[in-house]
């Protein structure tokens, strides 16, 4: 230092934290105090920054996800290997059922392939040469007859599903999808919560297509991604990137200049036609083809790839993939590597931060809590809960001997969508007193009417808006 020749321009600053550090990292030398702070040219800028940092801490999935018992990590299990807790499992299962059903509607078949393979498979695909450092290898190439590796992607496995029977031009596009568990050897310093892990689950798929189907199929994949983002309420959180090869470092990639320029142009035209703003980035492509990457930032501003669509016109040669055309000739297909939701763990982190833990009702691990005002109404509370369960609503009953005000406050702290207060009048009339985090007190309703309301909300995946506190009905 100094990093500034003068502090004249600093009009507002705040010290944030401090920590100890040995001089030059030597524990035998003096302990120094490292002071962290931030500074701005105006008080308003400083205030805005501090408010943003407080909001980031409030939404940080690494903190909030643990508090809500969605996930945890354990040292003896390892970095990047989170334990998904029951609440997190419920959310991920809801997402998986929805995505798999949606893909089936759009013509995808489902596959289930092994979690590992011999090195021979990855040598054919090129991953052994281009991606080996990112894989968990089982065995020693010099000592063992067979060396295996945990799969970092599903594509080479699904190619053999395609190859199992001969395909004609009429069979294409052949759309394969799988909820895949993958393993990648990330650096320990990069591990963070659910966004950077070593084992993860992904909605992965591969579309084997004729060259003349390329544009239509790419658009269909892109529109599926946008539909998923819209349903989840995340469409305004993303940016789009055309990830290209690095023309100055061509040995990392399959194909020549003509191949890369032409495939990149196809994806560029898709983004232009879909009228979305995008940036272009050299060196971000897969080794076999360019990508459309859908990017999002976490609460601290770090950007991650959430969803990807990749065009691959080269790998079919390696695996001898072909289809029979109208003339009886063998033709190499193109392949689209794509995800619909992306990585479930990363998406879960994204949802936690976007909604600050207040998920849409259809994703909530606990959608309704029934609160009897005293033990006398425990039977009716159970009757209400049983009826909700019969309609596939996730419900619990709070039968503790606590005051009703305390139960309501605790349910609100747990970020529940709905609380149903029941007492003498509700039992006599077959009704429930509805309180929601969206509008506060929503009044007394017949139980059947509330069930119809919440089932419709869950079925349509509605995202109800939460009113400001001062506007909620008390």
């Amino acid at each position: 230092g100094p990093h500034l020749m003068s502090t004249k321009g600093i009009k507002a600053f705040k010290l944030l934290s401090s920590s100890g550090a040995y001089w030059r990292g030597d524990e035998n030398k003096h302990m120094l105090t490292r002071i962290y702070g931030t500074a701005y040219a105006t008080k308003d800028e400083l205030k805005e920054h501090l408010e943003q940092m407080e909001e980031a801490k409030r939404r940080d999935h690494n903190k909030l996800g643990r508090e809500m018992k969605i996930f945890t990590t354990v040292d003896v299990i390892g970095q990047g290997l989170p334990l998904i807790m029951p609440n997190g499992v419920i959310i991920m299962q809801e997402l998986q059922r929805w995505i798999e059903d949606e893909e089936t509607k759009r013509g995808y078949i489902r596959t289930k392939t092994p979690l590992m393979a011999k090195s021979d498979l990855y040598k054919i695909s090129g991953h052994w040469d281009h991606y080996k450092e990112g894989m968990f290898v089982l065995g020693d190439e010099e000592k063992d007859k067979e060396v295996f590796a945990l799969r970092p992607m599903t594509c080479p496995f699904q190619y053999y599903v395609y190859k199992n029977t001969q395909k004609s031009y009429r069979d294409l596009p052949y759309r394969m999808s799988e909820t895949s568990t993958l393993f990648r050897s990330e650096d320990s310093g990069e591990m963070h919560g659910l966004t950077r892990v070593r084992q993860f689950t992904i909605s992965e798929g591969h579309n084997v297509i004729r060259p003349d189907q390329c544009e239509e199929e790419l658009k269909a994949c892109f529109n599926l991604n946008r539909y998923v983002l819209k349903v989840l309420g995340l469409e305004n959180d993303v940016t789009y990137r055309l990830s290209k090869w690095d023309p100055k470092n061509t040995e990392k990639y399959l194909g020549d200049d003509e191949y890369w320029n032409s495939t990149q142009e196809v994806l560029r035209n898709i983004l232009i036609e879909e009228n979305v703003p995008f940036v272009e980035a050299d060196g971000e492509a897969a080794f076999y083809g360019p990508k459309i990457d859908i990017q999002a930032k976490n609460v601290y501003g770090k950007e991650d790839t959430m969803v990807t669509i990749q065009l691959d016109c080269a790998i079919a040669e390696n695996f001898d993939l072909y289809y029979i055309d109208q003339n009886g000739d063998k033709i190499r297909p193109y392949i689209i590597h794509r995800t619909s939701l992306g990585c479930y763990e990363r998406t879960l982190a994204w949802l936690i931060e976007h909604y600050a833990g207040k998920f849409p009702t259809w994703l909530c691990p606990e959608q309704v809590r029934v609160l009897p005002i005293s033990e006398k109404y425990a039977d009716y509370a159970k009757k209400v809960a049983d009826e909700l369960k019969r309609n596939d609503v996730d419900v619990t009953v709070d039968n503790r001997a606590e005051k009703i005000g305390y139960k309501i406050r605790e349910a609100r702290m747990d970020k529940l969508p709905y609380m149903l207060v029941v007492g003498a009048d509700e039992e006599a009339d077959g009704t429930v007193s509805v309180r929601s985090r969206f509008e506060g007190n929503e009044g007394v309703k017949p139980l059947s009417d509330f069930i119809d309301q919440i089932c419709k909300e869950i079925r349509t995946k509605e995202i109800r808006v939460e009113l400001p506190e001062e506007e909620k009905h008390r």
Side-chain angles (χ1 to χ4, degrees):
H3 298 292
L4 293 176
M5 299 310 296
S6 169
T7 59
K8 183 178 180 180
I10 298 175
K11 304 299 182 184
F13 70 91
K14 183 177 177 62
L15 301 182
L16 301 174
S17 63
S18 64
S19 65
Y22 290 109
W23 173 243
R24 293 185 173 177
D26 187 342
E27 63 181 7
N28 296 314
K29 294 181 178 177
H30 289 294
M31 172 69 77
L32 306 180
T33 299
R34 180 179 286 131
I35 300 172
Y36 298 86
T38 188
Y40 283 85
T42 67
K43 290 183 178 180
D44 287 344
E45 288 178 306
L46 175 62
K47 181 182 177 183
E48 181 182 357
H49 171 75
L50 294 175
E51 287 174 351
Q52 287 176 348
M53 293 304 295
E54 283 302 312
E55 180 67 7
K57 290 177 184 177
R58 188 175 74 85
R59 291 176 178 267
D60 184 353
H61 88 275
N62 209 14
K63 176 176 181 291
L64 189 55
R66 297 169 195 271
E67 292 173 353
M68 295 183 68
K69 298 180 176 62
I70 291 173
F71 80 99
T72 189
T73 52
V74 181
D75 286 344
V76 295
I77 292 175
Q79 283 186 300
L81 300 170
L83 297 174
I84 308 300
M85 305 298 283
N87 287 343
V89 172
I90 291 171
I91 299 171
M92 290 175 73
Q93 284 181 334
E94 286 297 325
L95 291 169
Q96 182 178 337
R97 291 187 188 112
W98 167 54
I99 288 298
E100 290 182 352
D101 287 347
E102 187 62 36
E103 288 176 336
T104 299
K105 291 176 188 175
R106 296 178 186 237
Y108 285 84
I109 61 164
R110 306 215 63 76
T111 67
K112 186 172 179 61
T113 56
L115 298 179
M116 67 178 76
K118 295 193 297 183
S119 59
D120 305 48
L121 179 71
Y122 305 114
K123 289 173 182 176
I124 296 171
S125 68
H127 288 101
W128 203 253
D129 294 327
H130 295 275
Y131 197 76
K132 184 179 176 182
E133 69 281 356
M135 299 166 65
F136 287 104
V137 177
L138 310 176
D140 188 323
E141 287 187 88
E142 295 182 2
K143 298 178 181 178
D144 300 326
K145 185 177 180 181
E146 289 185 330
V147 175
F148 288 77
L150 298 177
R151 65 177 180 186
M153 70 293 296
T154 314
C155 43
F157 297 84
Q158 287 193 331
Y159 298 155
Y160 284 94
V161 174
Y162 175 85
K163 282 169 64 73
N164 188 55
T165 58
Q166 183 169 281
K167 306 293 190 299
S168 83
Y169 67 97
R170 295 188 185 91
D171 297 315
L172 273 54
Y174 190 78
R175 306 182 185 103
M176 298 172 285
S177 185
E178 182 170 333
T179 303
S180 305
T181 299
L182 304 179
F183 306 85
R184 296 185 182 175
S185 182
E186 303 281 3
D187 292 337
S188 59
E190 295 181 350
M191 300 298 105
H192 178 71
L194 296 176
T195 58
R196 184 71 67 173
V197 292
R198 286 172 170 158
Q199 176 184 309
F200 57 95
T201 304
I202 190 169
S203 59
E204 192 168 20
H206 298 88
N207 300 11
V208 185
I209 61 175
R210 303 191 309 261
D212 63 285
Q213 296 169 326
C214 187
E215 182 178 352
E216 180 182 359
E217 201 67 13
L218 283 167
K219 284 183 179 179
C221 292
F222 191 70
N223 288 332
L224 172 58
N225 293 147
R226 298 187 77 184
Y227 168 75
V228 168
L229 292 172
K230 182 178 180 181
V231 171
L232 294 177
L234 302 172
E235 70 269 37
N236 295 324
D237 287 6
V238 301
T239 56
Y240 298 89
R241 183 179 76 188
L242 174 58
S243 296
K244 305 187 296 184
W245 78 328
D246 181 357
K248 298 178 182 177
N249 193 11
T250 57
E251 67 276 2
K252 290 172 54 179
Y253 306 93
L254 301 178
D256 55 17
D257 285 15
E258 182 181 354
Y259 168 75
W260 282 92
N261 290 335
S262 62
T263 52
Q264 288 168 178
E265 186 65 18
V266 170
L267 294 183
R268 184 182 292 110
N269 289 337
I270 294 293
L271 289 165
I272 292 171
E273 289 177 22
E274 292 296 322
N275 196 31
V276 295
F278 65 96
V279 298
E280 300 191 13
D282 288 342
E284 294 293 336
F287 69 84
Y288 46 75
K291 305 184 292 178
I292 293 173
D293 287 326
I294 300 178
Q295 307 287 110
K297 292 181 179 179
N298 68 13
V299 289
Y300 296 107
K302 183 183 181 300
E303 188 173 86
D304 285 307
T305 298
M306 309 307 296
V307 179
T308 186
I309 303 170
Q310 305 168 11
L311 178 59
D312 182 352
C313 307
I315 205 72
E317 185 74 30
N318 295 35
F319 284 89
D320 191 28
L321 302 180
Y322 65 88
Y323 64 92
I324 305 300
D325 72 359
Q326 298 93 320
N327 301 317
D329 296 327
K330 292 183 177 181
I331 306 297
R332 297 293 183 208
Y334 291 175
I335 296 165
I336 298 173
H337 307 244
R338 46 103 271 172
T339 59
S340 48
L341 179 77
C343 167
Y344 281 86
E345 288 82 357
R346 187 172 287 181
T347 298
L348 181 54
W350 191 9
L351 288 167
I352 292 170
E353 295 190 349
H354 177 87
Y355 289 107
K358 296 181 179 181
F359 305 108
T361 301
W362 72 280
L363 284 176
C364 285
E366 185 182 356
Q367 295 163 333
V368 178
R369 187 176 296 174
V370 185
L371 310 177
I373 61 174
S374 76
E375 293 178 1
K376 291 188 293 183
Y377 308 106
D379 289 344
Y380 182 61
K382 182 179 183 302
K383 180 181 177 181
V384 168
D386 288 345
E387 191 61 29
L388 284 161
K389 288 176 183 176
R390 277 192 286 273
N391 286 273
D392 297 323
V393 177
D394 290 320
V395 57
T396 61
V397 179
D398 187 348
N399 275 322
R400 293 175 302 165
E402 300 283 357
K403 292 182 179 180
I404 191 65
Y406 177 84
K407 292 182 181 181
I408 291 171
R409 285 193 299 274
E410 194 166 86
R412 291 182 63 187
M413 292 294 291
D414 290 342
K415 309 180 193 304
L416 297 186
Y418 293 99
M419 297 160 271
L420 302 182
V421 179
V422 295
D425 291 343
E426 288 81 11
E427 183 175 30
D429 299 336
T431 59
V432 289
S433 179
V434 181
R435 290 176 176 266
S436 76
R437 70 160 189 252
F438 312 108
E439 296 182 14
N441 187 354
E442 295 192 13
V444 177
K445 299 179 182 181
L447 176 59
S448 59
D449 286 1
F450 174 75
I451 289 175
D452 289 344
Q453 171 196 323
I454 193 171
C455 286
K456 180 182 177 183
E457 183 181 340
I458 292 168
R459 184 178 66 255
T460 61
K461 298 176 175 54
E462 178 185 355
I463 301 174
R464 289 192 68 184
V465 176
E466 184 173 343
L467 298 176
E469 286 298 323
E470 61 271 15
E471 295 182 29
K472 291 181 180 179
H473 302 297
R474 300 294 179 181

